[in-house]
Amino acid sequence: MSYGSSMEETKVKKKNFYPTFKIAPNKNPNRFYAFPFFGFLFKLIILFPVFIEAIFLAIISPFILMLTWFVISFTGNYWNFGYTFFLGLFRFSTKIGVFLYGITDKYPGFSLATDGIFTLDIAKPTNPNRWLAVPIVGFVIRLVLLIPYHIFSQVMQNGAGIAMMLSWFTILFQKSFPESFYEFEHDSLRVGIAANAYLVGMSDSYPNFSISMNHQTAKILLIIAGALLVAANWGDSMMTEERRDRSSDYQYEYNNSDYYTPPVDDSGSY
């Protein structure tokens, strides 16, 4: 199979995928990075300065989004600075993602550009929906609408995490990155970017659930595993909440219970 073939691009256009996200597979993966858990831990350590920048960007992004809403509401146009900022933010976070997944071994750095690692493009909205740009209200509407897609994104992320861990062993022993894992991780990243692009109004088209189904068996198994992890997390959350409620009820009963204190016989008689 050839990556990025014209036939595949035609299929993507027909399915109305966004964003345009392409990255070549890792042909010569680093075995040290693939050493189970320790290689991933090393990546996290060396990414610490990058995470600091990511936190700073996450802090200022709500303010940029708020200003973008007002610009759309009053002018009907997407704010140029907001568009440039969020596209750069998506490119920056994607560089971190492809490095952690092992799709590339190139350090992401601090730039908001792709640095030639991949291509990621989202067209600037030409006629953004003003109703969905109403401050806070439009954002809440998008959040609610995205609930099914968020669940799907979580399933994909969990499956991609499993694919990443399995790829460590194939890289370590065979020095090859399985194509099925590469494609699944690629789609997982694209799905996450699509959800965020819709959330900040860079697209008013609801993101597409379709993914590449080459190596169908492996991908279906990853989706099932990802769904089971989502269900398990929900189950743990419900059990934790139930234990917390029981603890609160017990504490309430304990604090409000009346204790019987027997009278003290001080008559001196036995």
Side-chain angles (χ1 to χ4, degrees), residues 21 90-99 118 120 189 193:
F21 173 46
F90 296 154
R91 288 171 172 172
F92 177 73
S93 60
T94 302
K95 283 195 296 183
I96 298 174
V98 294
F99 179 69
F118 53 81
L120 172 58
L189 290 167
I193 300 166

Side-chain angles (χ1 to χ4, degrees), residues 63-260:
F63 300 100
I64 304 297
L65 182 58
M66 181 70 71
L67 292 173
T68 302
W69 289 336
F70 283 110
V71 172
I72 296 174
S73 298
F74 288 108
T75 70
N77 297 315
Y78 204 95
W79 189 28
N80 286 331
F81 181 82
Y83 167 76
T84 302
F85 173 82
F86 285 116
L87 182 58
L89 179 62
F90 296 154
R91 288 171 172 172
F92 177 73
S93 60
T94 302
K95 283 195 296 183
I96 298 174
V98 294
F99 179 69
L100 286 174
Y101 278 146
I103 299 177
T104 181
D105 292 325
K106 187 173 181 179
Y107 190 76
F110 304 93
S111 168
L112 299 187
T114 62
D115 298 331
I117 301 174
F118 53 81
T119 59
L120 172 58
D121 294 302
I122 305 174
K124 181 185 175 184
T126 55
N127 188 27
N129 189 315
R130 291 194 181 191
W131 289 107
L132 291 177
V134 174
I136 307 302
V137 176
F139 185 77
V140 172
I141 292 174
R142 289 181 187 267
L143 272 179
V144 173
L145 292 174
L146 274 176
I147 289 175
Y149 200 78
H150 174 70
I151 297 173
F152 174 64
S153 179
Q154 284 296 116
V155 170
M156 290 293 295
Q157 288 179 25
N158 289 338
I162 294 172
M164 176 189 68
M165 289 187 285
L166 293 175
S167 70
W168 292 339
F169 297 97
T170 59
I171 293 171
L172 198 61
F173 296 108
Q174 300 180 2
K175 202 171 175 55
S176 64
F177 199 107
E179 184 178 316
S180 57
F181 296 163
Y182 150 78
E183 290 181 356
F184 196 91
E185 291 170 1
H186 172 273
D187 277 331
S188 174
L189 290 167
R190 183 191 57 77
V191 164
I193 300 166
N196 289 327
Y198 180 77
L199 199 57
V200 301
M202 291 183 73
S203 174
D204 291 325
S205 299
Y206 197 81
N208 200 301
F209 286 88
S210 298
I211 64 171
S212 166
M213 288 309 292
N214 298 315
H215 311 283
Q216 191 174 42
T217 301
K219 292 181 180 180
I220 290 175
L221 290 175
L222 289 172
I223 290 173
I224 292 173
L228 291 175
L229 286 176
V230 169
N233 289 335
W234 286 353
D236 288 342
S237 298
M238 293 176 63
M239 291 179 63
T240 301
E241 187 66 28
E242 185 178 352
R243 285 196 296 266
R244 187 182 299 112
D245 291 341
R246 288 180 180 177
S247 177
S248 299
D249 292 342
Y250 174 79
Q251 189 66 29
Y252 176 82
E253 293 175 0
Y254 177 82
N255 292 336
N256 291 275
S257 60
D258 293 325
Y259 294 95
Y260 173 73

Side-chain angles (χ1 to χ4, degrees), residues 10-73:
T10 303
K11 290 180 180 179
V12 167
K13 289 180 181 178
K14 287 182 179 179
K15 292 179 180 178
N16 195 30
F17 281 166
Y18 73 89
T20 303
F21 173 46
K22 299 177 184 177
I23 181 170
N26 195 341
K27 297 285 181 128
N28 189 30
N30 188 314
R31 285 187 172 179
F32 175 75
Y33 286 155
F35 197 86
F37 300 106
F38 291 102
F40 187 76
L41 179 61
F42 180 77
K43 284 186 178 182
L44 292 177
I45 293 173
I46 62 176
L47 281 174
F48 183 75
V50 179
F51 289 147
I52 294 177
E53 181 181 355
I55 292 172
F56 172 75
L57 293 172
I59 291 173
I60 66 174
S61 59
F63 300 100
I64 304 297
L65 182 58
M66 181 70 71
L67 292 173
T68 302
W69 289 336
F70 283 110
V71 172
I72 296 174
S73 298

